[in-house]
């Protein structure tokens, strides 16, 4: 006996379940709409488009644009003039150090310590470098890292000691910038210009008889030269000061020598020039009073 055919409602339900099972087998696991779409319903009425030939109702004019308010005038600070004034007012090395600490510069935000100077104040020889490095920033003294240790050995080879008891054979050392630039980058022209009055005042207060300029930044900044250190080194130059021209000898920075050991031969020639200048001063007879 054959089974009776299913009722219409049961047949429709079975077809829907079969279709749903097929979609699940295909990987469908969610609906694309919140409610099923009635495709048998009448479509919604289309909006009536305006006749371009018909007269249009006048539109209200747009509101006038608001004029931007002008910011009140603010006095622009003159850091260069203020720096020059601070430097000129320092009457001692300690006062100069305090004045340099007052200079408002972004370098202070990334540095740890102000690096002023080291060695023997009043020594006849003063050395000027570029800017502090990481070791100098931590200790607050110039040329105490690897390049500074190389410099001390180089100067010791011609009888000079940073902290020597004999002032004639000792030296005083500082930098163009007192703060370490981020990442040991090269100082910018603006930073050099800002601190140059302090460097010149530093020289005036230290009163050396000769300078050694370590690297291109120090040499070009003080000598106002366009040539690089390659052409400047190997001979004496004159730095104009209030008390007269001051002999200045540019040479390679010791950090450059660590990267380029072959240049040590040229630095040794510069040290010989320096030693001869010191010895020549010793041989100058003292005029009777």
């Amino acid at each position: 006996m054959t089974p009776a055919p299913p009722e219409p409602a049961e047949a429709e339900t079975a077809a829907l379940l079969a279709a749903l099972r097929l979609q699940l087998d295909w990987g469908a696991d969610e609906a694309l709409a919140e409610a099923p779409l009635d495709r048998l319903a009448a479509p919604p009425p289309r909006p009536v488009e305006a006749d371009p030939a018909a007269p249009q109702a006048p539109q209200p004019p747009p509101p006038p644009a608001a004029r931007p308010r002008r910011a009140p005038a603010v006095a622009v600070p003159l850091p260069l003039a203020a720096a020059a004034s601070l430097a000129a007012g320092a009457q001692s090395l300690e006062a100069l150090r305090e004045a340099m600490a007052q200079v408002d510069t972004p370098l202070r935000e990334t540095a740890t310590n102000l690096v002023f100077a080291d060695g023997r104040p009043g020594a006849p020889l003063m050395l000027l470098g570029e800017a502090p490095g990481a070791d100098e920033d931590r200790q607050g003294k110039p040329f105490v890292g690897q390049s500074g240790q190389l410099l001390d050995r180089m100067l010791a080879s011609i009888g000079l000691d940073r902290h020597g008891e004999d002032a004639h054979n000792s030296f005083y050392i500082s930098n163009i910038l007192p703060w370490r630039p981020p990442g040991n980058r090269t100082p910018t022209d603006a930073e050099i210009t800002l601190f140059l009055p302090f460097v010149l005042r530093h020289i005036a207060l230290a009163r050396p008889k000769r300078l050694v300029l370590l690297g291109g930044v120090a040499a070009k900044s003080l000598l106002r030269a366009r040539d690089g250190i390659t052409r400047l080194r190997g001979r004496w130059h004159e730095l104009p000061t209030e008390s007269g021209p001051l002999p200045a000898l540019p040479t390679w920075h010791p950090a450059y020598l660590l990267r380029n050991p072959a240049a040590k031969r040229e630095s040794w020639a510069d040290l010989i020039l320096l030693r001869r200048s010191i010895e020549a001063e010793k041989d100058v007879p003292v005029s009777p009073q």
Side-chain angles (χ1 to χ4, degrees):
M1 181 177 180
T2 59
E7 296 293 331
E10 294 178 358
E12 183 179 357
T13 301
L16 291 175
L17 290 174
L20 179 60
R21 187 176 298 108
L22 178 61
Q23 294 185 28
L24 291 175
D25 293 339
W26 286 350
D29 57 357
E30 61 180 349
L32 299 180
E34 296 181 357
L37 178 63
D38 186 2
R39 300 184 181 277
L40 300 179
R46 298 179 60 184
V48 179
E49 298 182 359
D51 185 3
Q56 301 292 329
Q59 298 294 331
R67 294 183 178 180
R69 298 180 61 184
R70 300 182 64 179
V74 178
V76 179
L78 300 176
L80 297 181
S85 177
L86 282 173
Q91 301 301 318
S92 66
L93 293 175
E94 183 59 30
L96 182 66
R97 187 187 189 284
E98 295 177 359
M100 294 171 71
Q102 299 177 25
V103 178
D104 187 12
T105 171
L107 294 175
R108 298 173 54 179
E109 301 176 2
T110 55
T112 303
N113 289 304
L114 183 142
V115 180
F116 183 66
D118 194 22
R120 182 162 182 164
L125 174 63
M126 182 175 183
L127 289 82
L128 284 169
E130 177 179 306
D135 294 318
E136 290 76 13
D137 184 41
R138 283 191 293 267
Q139 300 187 36
K141 293 182 179 181
F143 289 92
V144 293
Q146 189 175 4
S147 62
Q149 295 168 15
L150 173 60
L151 179 64
D152 285 343
R153 294 195 300 269
M154 293 169 56
L155 293 173
S157 67
I158 60 171
L160 297 177
D161 184 357
R162 186 186 302 209
H163 301 288
E165 296 181 359
D166 182 6
H168 199 77
N169 291 325
S170 62
F171 60 90
Y172 185 64
I173 190 167
S174 184
N175 282 305
I176 298 293
L177 296 188
W179 302 100
R180 178 199 180 198
N184 286 358
R185 62 163 172 77
T186 302
T188 65
D189 292 342
E191 292 166 348
I192 295 172
T193 302
L194 178 62
F195 283 99
L196 195 56
F198 293 93
V199 178
L200 296 175
R201 186 59 180 163
H202 203 161
I203 296 172
L205 293 173
R207 297 181 180 179
K209 295 182 178 180
R210 59 187 60 82
L211 293 174
V212 171
L213 307 178
L214 301 170
V217 171
K220 294 180 67 175
S221 301
L222 286 173
L223 299 177
R224 302 184 182 276
R226 294 184 178 180
D227 293 334
I229 186 63
T230 303
R231 293 190 176 185
L232 292 174
R233 59 147 300 273
R235 56 191 174 93
W236 288 96
H237 300 256
E238 287 187 349
L239 175 67
T241 65
E242 297 179 358
S243 57
L246 183 64
L249 178 64
T251 188
W252 294 114
H253 195 285
Y256 175 81
L257 299 178
L258 291 174
R259 302 189 302 268
N260 301 273
K264 290 181 179 180
R265 176 177 297 182
E266 296 174 341
S267 291
W268 174 248
D270 296 338
L271 291 178
I272 296 300
L273 284 178
L274 175 61
R275 186 72 246 182
R276 287 175 179 173
S277 175
I278 295 174
E279 293 298 329
E281 181 183 355
K282 289 183 179 179
D283 295 336
V284 173
V286 179
S287 59
Q289 299 293 332

